[in-house]
Amino acid sequence: FCQSCLQECLRPQKPVCAVCRAGLGHWTKAAELEALIQSSVAACKGCGAQVGLSQMRSHTAACSKYQEYIEEGVRTTAQSQPAIISPVPNRFTFTCPYCNCQNLDQDGLVEHCTTHHARDARQVVCPICASMPWGDPNYRSADFFQHLKIRHTFSYDTFVV
């Protein structure tokens, strides 16, 4: 995960799993997993050398045969994939209408805007509403924060089947 996406998942007020977005309760360092990674080895996909998993990232970064292996995979994938853009809008992550901060889920957008832009009086388009089939991408809310509070304190996908 990139740093921006991972940070979004670990918001102090509501941390979530980076894969399934389930809420996280109290968590601790995965010492058993760390020990397993330290003691495990695997073959490099490029040169075939046996490398400890804890050292694999630095090995593959320096391994010229691994770099060739990745480049060949990229070339093959790029040739076989059609360039089709999905007509289905993204309704799971949103961009802040004030500062263009990206990859915010609904709760993250509400929290971000409330924390960073509460005093901004500009009229903006709600990115959550604009992504919905009934949303108007040109409608600018007179009071965006009141709108967030009233309309987006729950997720549509929780209540719509």
Side-chain angles (χ1 to χ4, degrees), residues 33-56:
L33 179 60
E34 187 175 21
L36 181 62
I37 290 171
Q38 289 291 336
S39 65
S40 298
V41 295
C44 169
K45 297 273 188 192
C47 67
Q50 294 292 312
V51 180
L53 291 185
S54 62
Q55 302 301 315
M56 187 65 77

Side-chain angles (χ1 to χ4, degrees), residues 19-76:
V19 176
C20 71
R21 299 286 186 176
L24 296 176
H26 179 72
W27 70 88
T28 59
K29 186 174 181 179
E32 290 177 16
L33 179 60
E34 187 175 21
L36 181 62
I37 290 171
Q38 289 291 336
S39 65
S40 298
V41 295
C44 169
K45 297 273 188 192
C47 67
Q50 294 292 312
V51 180
L53 291 185
S54 62
Q55 302 301 315
M56 187 65 77
R57 185 170 291 168
S58 60
H59 171 80
T60 56
C63 179
S64 62
K65 290 190 177 190
Y66 181 79
Q67 299 303 320
E68 291 170 10
Y69 167 78
I70 293 297
E71 288 171 14
E72 178 60 29
V74 169
R75 278 192 299 273
T76 303

Side-chain angles (χ1 to χ4, degrees), residues 12 35-36 39-40 43 74 84 108-109 115 122 153-154:
L36 181 62
S39 65
S40 298
V74 169
I84 298 174
L109 178 68
T115 303
R122 288 180 288 168
T153 54
F154 70 94

Side-chain angles (χ1 to χ4, degrees), residues 7-152:
Q7 284 304 113
E8 179 60 27
C9 292
L10 297 177
R11 294 187 314 269
Q13 291 81 0
K14 191 175 179 185
V16 295
C17 172
V19 176
C20 71
R21 299 286 186 176
L24 296 176
H26 179 72
W27 70 88
T28 59
K29 186 174 181 179
E32 290 177 16
L33 179 60
E34 187 175 21
L36 181 62
I37 290 171
Q38 289 291 336
S39 65
S40 298
V41 295
C44 169
K45 297 273 188 192
C47 67
Q50 294 292 312
V51 180
L53 291 185
S54 62
Q55 302 301 315
M56 187 65 77
R57 185 170 291 168
S58 60
H59 171 80
T60 56
C63 179
S64 62
K65 290 190 177 190
Y66 181 79
Q67 299 303 320
E68 291 170 10
Y69 167 78
I70 293 297
E71 288 171 14
E72 178 60 29
V74 169
R75 278 192 299 273
T76 303
T77 304
Q79 292 171 356
S80 64
Q81 296 296 318
I84 298 174
I85 298 173
S86 174
V88 179
N90 175 3
R91 294 190 181 112
F92 299 102
T93 60
F94 307 98
T95 299
C96 173
Y98 292 105
C99 69
N100 293 322
C101 179
Q102 297 181 332
N103 298 322
L104 300 165
D105 64 8
Q106 180 173 308
D107 292 336
L109 178 68
V110 172
E111 182 181 313
H112 169 83
C113 288
T114 303
T115 303
H116 298 287
H117 306 294
R119 299 199 196 300
D120 195 324
R122 288 180 288 168
Q123 292 185 352
V124 294
V125 174
C126 175
I128 300 169
C129 289
S131 74
M132 296 298 166
W134 59 84
D136 180 353
N138 299 310
Y139 177 74
R140 296 181 178 276
S141 178
D143 187 345
F144 183 63
F145 297 99
Q146 188 67 17
H147 168 81
L148 287 176
K149 184 177 173 184
I150 293 170
R151 297 287 180 201
H152 300 300

